[in-house]
Amino acid sequence: MTPTIRKEQKAKKTPRKREGEQEKTTRMVEILRRLRSEYTGTFLGLNHSSAFQLLIATILSAQCTDERVNMVTPALFTTYPRPEDFASAPLEEIEQAIHSTGFYKAKARNIKACCTVLVEEFNSTVPDTLEELITLAGVGRKTANVVLSQWFGKPGLTVDTHVTRLSNLLGFVATKDAVKIEQELMDFTPQKLWNEVNTSLITHGRAVCIARRPQCNVCCISDLCPSAEA
């Protein structure tokens, strides 16, 4: 989808005063409303058909594009369809299968260790709580929230590079610490919109608010962004 310039949203911005939580909530809700309208049905993420596939794909997505991961996972999940298959596979074979995703040695170790725990402690079933998910190798809060929000439908705020960058540009946070960003956004964003923060900001970050070359002239939320170029 090619964003269009909205003249009615290009009113000259005045310096933004320090916002309270209610003002941040109001602005976030409006930002998400506009992005929802702009990108309905266009979010492209990791291809998966189970919680297990999403978990493994998300581990692979660290320092790698979703597009590359989606190229690797069809053959990967054909060869290793269950946690037991990864757990019993030689590490070198897993490394070779995921080589093109980068950092393949660390990812292979994490995947094998993660699947071993899934088999031994969770009856080969992906747990559906944050507390349990982050006990798995290679799974931090970001990966856990992806699985919780996208598969289990539970409120979860995933802070990836796009959410980090846009949250700072929008003036909602002033930190690169993912855990702090997650908590600060949760403090003023209605819980029912947490999952939407993930998909909307990620999609906008890929399409328009691109790192090093943001397209403020076609941005549907530029008048709500203190970092927008005049």
Side-chain angles (χ1 to χ4, degrees):
M1 175 181 294
T2 302
T4 56
I5 299 176
R6 290 168 171 74
K7 292 183 179 179
E8 70 275 14
Q9 294 172 358
K10 296 298 178 180
K12 185 177 179 180
K13 297 189 296 297
T14 56
R16 190 179 299 279
K17 65 179 182 180
R18 184 174 179 83
E19 291 179 301
E21 279 202 6
Q22 185 54 53
E23 291 170 310
K24 285 185 177 181
T25 299
T26 300
R27 188 159 62 97
M28 175 65 89
V29 169
E30 175 60 16
I31 285 170
L32 294 178
R33 184 193 68 77
R34 293 188 193 179
L35 295 180
R36 186 186 312 126
S37 175
E38 187 80 2
Y39 300 113
T40 299
T42 64
F43 176 70
L44 298 176
L46 297 166
N47 296 335
H48 60 279
S49 60
S50 67
F52 173 63
Q53 289 187 1
L54 179 57
L55 175 64
I56 300 302
T58 307
I59 292 174
L60 290 174
S61 71
Q63 303 297 314
C64 182
T65 65
D66 288 356
E67 291 79 7
R68 168 56 59 182
V69 174
N70 288 339
M71 292 172 63
V72 169
T73 49
L76 185 70
F77 293 142
T78 297
T79 304
Y80 309 103
R82 306 171 303 159
E84 292 89 342
D85 300 311
F86 278 114
S88 62
L91 192 60
E92 295 76 11
E93 287 187 8
I94 302 175
E95 290 176 356
Q96 184 175 2
I98 66 171
H99 187 278
S100 65
T101 66
F103 300 94
Y104 62 94
K105 288 185 177 294
K107 290 179 182 180
R109 287 196 301 271
N110 283 335
I111 288 172
K112 186 175 177 65
C114 172
C115 289
T116 298
V117 174
L118 285 177
V119 172
E120 295 177 352
E121 298 185 20
F122 293 100
N123 195 31
S124 298
T125 301
V126 176
D128 63 355
T129 68
L130 179 68
E131 293 74 19
E132 291 174 313
L133 281 167
I134 61 177
T135 66
L136 302 172
V139 179
R141 294 182 67 89
K142 171 191 167 184
T143 297
N145 278 322
V146 168
V147 175
L148 290 174
S149 62
Q150 293 188 27
W151 184 261
F152 292 109
K154 295 187 175 184
L157 216 155
T158 305
V159 180
D160 74 341
T161 55
H162 293 293
V163 174
T164 295
R165 182 164 48 81
L166 268 67
S167 296
N168 277 275
L169 289 173
L170 289 165
F172 287 130
V173 301
T175 177
K176 298 297 178 66
D177 186 304
V179 175
K180 291 181 179 178
I181 293 172
E182 178 187 350
Q183 186 57 61
E184 289 186 37
L185 293 180
M186 289 167 59
D187 284 344
F188 65 83
T189 304
Q191 188 181 67
K192 65 181 180 180
L193 296 178
W194 288 357
N195 295 352
E196 196 171 336
V197 170
N198 307 333
T199 56
S200 293
L201 294 190
I202 290 171
T203 302
H204 192 57
R206 290 171 174 169
V208 174
C209 194
I210 303 166
R212 294 182 295 279
R213 51 185 179 91
Q215 302 173 41
C216 298
N217 62 314
V218 295
C219 177
C220 64
I221 58 172
S222 63
D223 61 309
L224 298 174
C225 177
S227 303
E229 297 177 357

